[in-house]
Amino acid sequence: MNQWKNFSKGFIKDNPVFVLLLGLCPTLAVTSSAINGLGMGLATTFVLVCSNMVVSLIKNLIPDKVRIPSFIVIIASFVTIVELIMEGFVPALFEALGIFIPLIVVNCIVLGRAEGFASKQSFISSLIDGLGMGLGFAFALTLLGAVREALGNGSIFGYKFIEGDAILVFILSPGAFIVLGYLIALLNRFKKAT
Amino acid sequence: MEYLIIIISAIFVSNIVLAQYLGICPFLGVSGKVSTSVGMSGAVLFVMTIATIVTWLIQTYILEPFGITFLQTISFILVIASLVQMVEIILKKISPPLYQALGIFLPLITTNCAVLGVALLTVSRNYNLMEGVVFAVASAFGFGLAMLLFAGIREHLDLMDVPKGMRGVPIALVTAGILALAFMGFIGLV
C-alpha cells in the first residue's frame, strides 16, 4: 500500500473519532478545552505508535488464542510509561486529564489497530498507520476541544477573545455530545459533496 | 446514610455515562433496541461488581503493601479481561439467544471504560470494600438507566423524519446531549 495514503487516511477518510467512532469516552470527557484535547491526543498517539510497532514485531511469536490478552498487556505497559512521564513533566495536564490517562488502555482505537492492522502488516506500515491514526485522533480531539472552548468559555488555547461569560453548557457534559453530533453531521455533508 | 448518598450520586447526579463519559461505546453501539440494552446492562452489572471487588482486594492487599501501585493499570485490566472471558463462557452455556444478541459487544466489555473506570474511581476515592461494592452496583444501575432511556428514545427516532445529514450517529449524539442536559437537573440533589 502507498505509505502516504496509509498515513493520511487517519485524518479524514478513516478518522477514528468522526468516522470509525472509536475511543469516544476520552474524546467527550477531556475536550473541555483545546489544550486538554491536544494533550490527550498526543498521549494516545504515543501509545498507539509504540504498541503498533511492538505488536507487528512479535506477531509471529504470539499464539493465536492468547493474542488479545497479550496485546492488552503490551498496551497497558506503554500506558503506564505515559502515565509516569506525564506525572513527572506535565503535572497540571496530568491532573486535568485524571482517570482518563489510565483509561487509554481501554481505548478501542488502540486495541482496534493492534488487532485489525498491526497483527497482519509489516513493521514500517504499522508504524505509519499508528502515527496517522494517532494524529488523526489528536486532530479530532483538538478540533472538538477548540469548538467547545470557543463556545463555552470564549477562548481558544487559553487565549480569551470574548470578555465575560459564554455559553457555559458547552464545556459541561451535554455540550460534548451535541458538538460532536453536529461535527459528524457536518463532515457527512462534506463527504457527500466530494 | 452514606450509602444512600453514594447510590443517588452514582445513579443520578454524576451518572456514569451522561456526566462522566464512561462506557460510551456500548451506550451508542447496543442501544438500538430495548431488549439488547437490558442484556448489556445485566452483563455490565455482573462484571462491574465482581471486578470492583477483586481489584479492590488486589489494590489493598498486594499493590499497596509492596509499594507497586504503578502496576495498577496492568493488573486491573488483566483481572477485568479474564472476568469477561468467564462471563462469556457462562452466558454461552446458560442463554445462547442472549449470547447471540450481544454478539461483538460482550468481549468489548473488556474495553468498556466504565468497568475499569469504576474500579479506578473506587480506589482513588479511598472507598472501603462495602462502599466500593455499593458504588459499583449503583454505577451499573446508572449505566442501565441511561441505556434504557436512550434505547427507548432511539426506537422512536427510527420512525421520525430526520434531516439527511443528521441520520444515524449525529442525531443519536444530539439526543444523548439533551438527555445529559436533563440529568443536569439532578445537580444539587446531594
Side-chain angles (χ1 to χ4, degrees), chain A residues 21 23-25 28-29 69 72-73 76-77 79-80 83-84 99-100 102-103 105-106 108 111 148 169 171-174 176-178 180-182 184-185 188, chain B residues 17-25 27-28 70 73-74 77-78 81 110-113 116-117 120-121 165-167 169-170 173-174 176-178 180-181 184:
Chain A
L21 299 169
L24 287 186
C25 308
L28 294 169
I72 290 182
V73 174
S77 324
V79 170
T80 310
E83 240 178 297
L84 294 174
I99 147 175
F100 285 94
L103 284 182
V105 88
V106 286
C108 327
L111 187 62
R148 284 180 68 193
V169 74
I171 37 180
L172 300 175
S173 59
F177 291 105
I178 293 172
L180 182 61
Y182 278 103
I184 293 176
N188 283 348
Chain B
V17 180
L18 297 169
Q20 311 220 39
Y21 317 98
L22 295 168
I24 304 282
C25 302
F27 179 66
L28 291 174
F70 62 90
T73 315
I74 297 186
I77 192 67
L78 276 180
T110 316
T111 49
N112 179 346
C113 13
L116 182 61
L120 288 170
L121 282 176
M166 294 292 286
R167 265 176 215 164
V169 180
L173 280 167
V174 174
I178 295 170
L181 205 57
M184 274 178 70

Side-chain angles (χ1 to χ4, degrees), chain B:
Chain B
M1 196 55 207
E2 258 168 57
Y3 294 136
L4 196 66
I5 290 175
I6 292 178
I7 291 171
I8 301 222
S9 83
I11 296 183
F12 296 109
V13 182
S14 49
N15 183 283
I16 190 156
V17 180
L18 297 169
Q20 311 220 39
Y21 317 98
L22 295 168
I24 304 282
C25 302
F27 179 66
L28 291 174
V30 278
S31 59
K33 274 200 263 155
V34 171
S35 54
T36 44
S37 67
V38 172
M40 184 69 189
S41 313
V44 166
L45 172 68
F46 186 64
V47 174
M48 199 183 268
T49 314
I50 301 180
T52 305
I53 296 173
V54 177
T55 51
W56 189 90
L57 292 174
I58 290 179
Q59 170 79 13
T60 316
Y61 292 107
I62 300 178
L63 297 184
E64 273 172 9
F66 293 106
I68 45 173
T69 41
F70 62 90
L71 287 178
Q72 201 184 45
T73 315
I74 297 186
S75 49
F76 280 20
I77 192 67
L78 276 180
V79 169
I80 292 168
S82 34
L83 267 175
V84 171
Q85 201 93 62
M86 200 181 83
V87 172
E88 207 181 333
I89 294 169
I90 295 175
L91 259 191
K92 209 175 188 173
K93 257 287 187 275
I94 296 179
S95 168
L98 187 60
Y99 178 77
Q100 294 253 312
L102 294 178
I104 184 174
F105 284 96
L106 201 59
L108 276 186
I109 292 189
T110 316
T111 49
N112 179 346
C113 13
V115 177
L116 182 61
V118 165
L120 288 170
L121 282 176
T122 307
V123 169
S124 73
R125 287 182 187 175
N126 288 321
Y127 283 147
N128 63 31
L129 185 55
M130 200 53 219
E131 285 169 340
V133 172
V134 171
F135 177 62
V137 172
S139 294
F141 274 106
F143 179 79
L145 177 70
M147 281 277 274
L148 265 183
L149 286 175
F150 195 51
I153 298 173
R154 276 184 93 173
E155 281 190 350
H156 283 278
L157 267 184
D158 286 344
L159 308 171
M160 299 291 150
D161 186 21
V162 179
K164 226 180 190 169
M166 294 292 286
R167 265 176 215 164
V169 180
I171 192 71
L173 280 167
V174 174
T175 313
I178 295 170
L179 203 56
L181 205 57
F183 267 72
M184 274 178 70
F186 290 114
I187 292 177
L189 203 64
V190 175

Side-chain angles (χ1 to χ4, degrees), chain A residues 10-11 15-17 22-27 30 37 40-45 48 104 107 109 131-143:
Chain A
F11 284 86
N15 188 288
V17 175
L22 293 172
L24 287 186
C25 308
T27 306
V30 302
M40 186 67 196
L42 292 182
T44 311
T45 306
L48 196 53
I104 295 177
N107 190 332
I109 183 69
L131 203 60
M133 277 291 168
L135 291 180
F137 186 69
F139 160 70
L141 258 65
T142 315
L143 180 64

